[in-house]
Amino acid sequence: MTVTLTGAGAALPERILSNHDFAHLDTSDEWIVQRTGIRERRRLAEDASLAELAALACERALSDAGVTPQDIGHVVVATSTADRISPGMAVEIATLLGIDRPAAFDLSAGCSGFVYALDHAIATIESGRAEHVLVCGAEALSRITDHTDRNTAVLLGDGAGAVVVSKAPGSLRPTFALGSDGTRIELLYVGQDRLMRMRGREIFESAVDAMADHTELVLKQSGLSPDDLDLFIAHQANARIVQAVARRLGVLGDRVFLNVDKVANTSSASIPLALAHAREQQLLSPGAVLGLAAFGAGLSWGAGIITWRAPAAGRGMTGPAADRGGR
Ligand code: UT7
């Protein structure tokens, strides 16, 4: 028995902002696309509930996994923009879904939050305390955006993604590596004014180094090579960052997933949104080996290897790893 992802779901606010909607900030579609790959992002209405959007993503993930709310005893939500300071959104999301009195809490680790939450979910299942854990990343970054600052305003989007993490047959044990460095908090933070400040150029290189190094580390710990990854999903902050990490790893072409063009940087919602969009595009087959990597405020980072569901019966692992007889 091991632990796999068994379902994924996404939910985006309806309102779309194109790059042209930021022309008043002395920027251009050309600059934004060339420097980031972003073409549009979603915006949650000011009076809308992020918990409701997140619950929709969770409902879709549960339905994708074929898991009922009664099967869920733990709900973890990664976010830095919850509807209330306290309680976190997990309790409200669980109630909206009809999950009866689960362990439910929010976790704040910047853009790395989802990877931290996933690591926690895996540990909970591996310790025998749950069979299925619901993990959600949800952000309304528009609530903490300085809408007059072109350095950040064009980069950020709102949205929610969720996965179901389950005990499942299979032979590849998930491997995660997490880290942080509090000596560089000032590079990316949200202060008492509740506005995000970022020194993007300085973050760029650290993000590439940390995500590449930690993905290499978890691959090594799993006894895998980059060739064994069926899909690499990194935090979607900037297409150039994702491509630089992928180049360092030697993972190229359609094994590198990108949806930053459609959703921009959604912080802790980024990886679960990407997983759900990869699922919608039928890029996840049973047994697919996924590499995940994130980097953000803290500074914090994390990378992990996990499979999408159990390999189809009698078929062993899919992808290049199958040639090695599974793991
Ligand atoms: O999500 C968690 C972690 N966050 C990240 O990973 C973000 C990391 N950083 C980045 O993605 C990139 O550094 C940015 C997209 C933020 C910036 O791209 P860059 O290629 O690193 O540009 P830069 O910082 O070197 O700035 C180039 C120029 C600057 O002007 P000067 O100083 O060269 O005259 C900026 O003022 O571009 C200017 N600039 C803009 N120009 C037009 C910054 N933002 C904009 C803008 N439109 N929106």
Side-chain angles (χ1 to χ4, degrees):
M1 276 295 167
T2 184
V3 180
T4 67
L5 300 178
T6 51
L12 292 168
E14 274 177 26
R15 186 171 171 216
I16 299 175
L17 293 184
S18 80
N19 290 344
H20 300 289
D21 292 315
F22 295 86
H24 61 287
L25 292 183
D26 190 22
T27 187
S28 65
D29 177 55
E30 190 189 5
W31 191 95
I32 300 169
V33 172
Q34 276 184 4
R35 300 289 182 120
T36 71
I38 297 166
R39 292 183 184 276
E40 60 187 46
R41 72 286 290 145
R42 299 298 179 104
R43 176 72 58 82
L44 191 69
E46 269 179 38
D47 57 352
S49 155
L50 181 58
E52 284 177 16
L53 188 77
L56 188 56
C58 290
E59 195 178 297
R60 290 172 175 160
L62 288 170
S63 150
D64 187 33
V67 165
T68 67
Q70 290 72 38
D71 297 324
I72 299 289
H74 295 249
V75 180
V76 189
V77 178
T79 187
S80 299
T81 52
D83 294 321
R84 298 179 187 84
I85 288 173
S86 182
M89 295 192 297
V91 287
E92 187 178 351
I93 292 168
T95 300
L96 287 167
L97 293 168
I99 300 173
D100 188 29
R101 303 177 196 218
F105 68 98
D106 287 13
L107 175 160
S108 164
C111 300
S112 310
F114 176 76
V115 174
Y116 272 71
L118 192 51
D119 180 63
H120 173 84
I122 292 163
T124 303
I125 296 172
E126 284 182 343
S127 69
R129 286 182 295 139
E131 295 214 350
H132 304 280
V133 177
L134 184 58
V135 180
C136 178
E139 299 284 8
L141 294 182
S142 54
R143 293 174 177 169
I144 55 167
T145 300
D146 178 349
H147 295 285
T148 66
D149 176 15
R150 70 176 184 174
N151 289 293
T152 50
V154 304
L155 306 176
L156 308 174
D158 300 341
V163 295
V164 177
V165 191
S166 306
K167 186 171 156 186
S171 49
L172 178 64
R173 194 172 169 224
T175 306
F176 277 65
L178 310 174
S180 69
D181 175 6
T183 65
R184 292 188 289 163
I185 285 175
E186 75 284 357
L187 294 188
L188 175 54
Y189 65 93
V190 180
Q192 289 296 334
D193 62 359
R194 292 188 58 79
L195 294 177
M196 184 189 297
R197 301 291 171 208
M198 178 171 76
R199 295 196 339 228
R201 201 178 308 183
E202 288 161 79
I203 296 271
F204 195 113
E205 281 180 20
S206 300
V208 174
D209 287 346
M211 288 195 280
D213 290 351
H214 284 75
T215 305
E216 277 169 357
L217 177 69
V218 290
L219 280 168
K220 196 171 162 206
Q221 288 173 343
S222 302
L224 303 178
S225 83
D227 287 347
D228 294 320
L229 292 180
D230 292 305
L231 199 63
F232 178 60
I233 299 184
H235 167 46
Q236 306 281 309
N238 184 326
R240 286 163 55 218
I241 295 179
V242 177
Q243 279 154 352
V245 176
R247 266 197 308 277
R248 278 260 298 265
L249 294 169
V251 179
L252 301 172
D254 57 10
R255 291 193 296 141
V256 182
F257 188 79
L258 281 172
N259 68 346
V260 69
D261 57 327
K262 291 280 185 212
V263 297
N265 181 347
T266 57
S267 190
S268 58
S270 160
I271 291 179
L273 264 177
L275 279 162
H277 287 167
R279 173 90 178 115
E280 282 166 22
Q281 294 169 33
Q282 302 188 324
L283 297 175
L284 305 179
S285 51
V289 179
L290 309 177
L292 310 178
F295 184 90
L299 300 174
S300 65
W301 54 83
I305 306 292
I306 190 166
T307 53
W308 174 259
R309 297 187 174 167
R315 286 187 45 226
M317 291 284 179
T318 60
D323 302 337
R324 301 169 54 224
R327 294 157 299 268

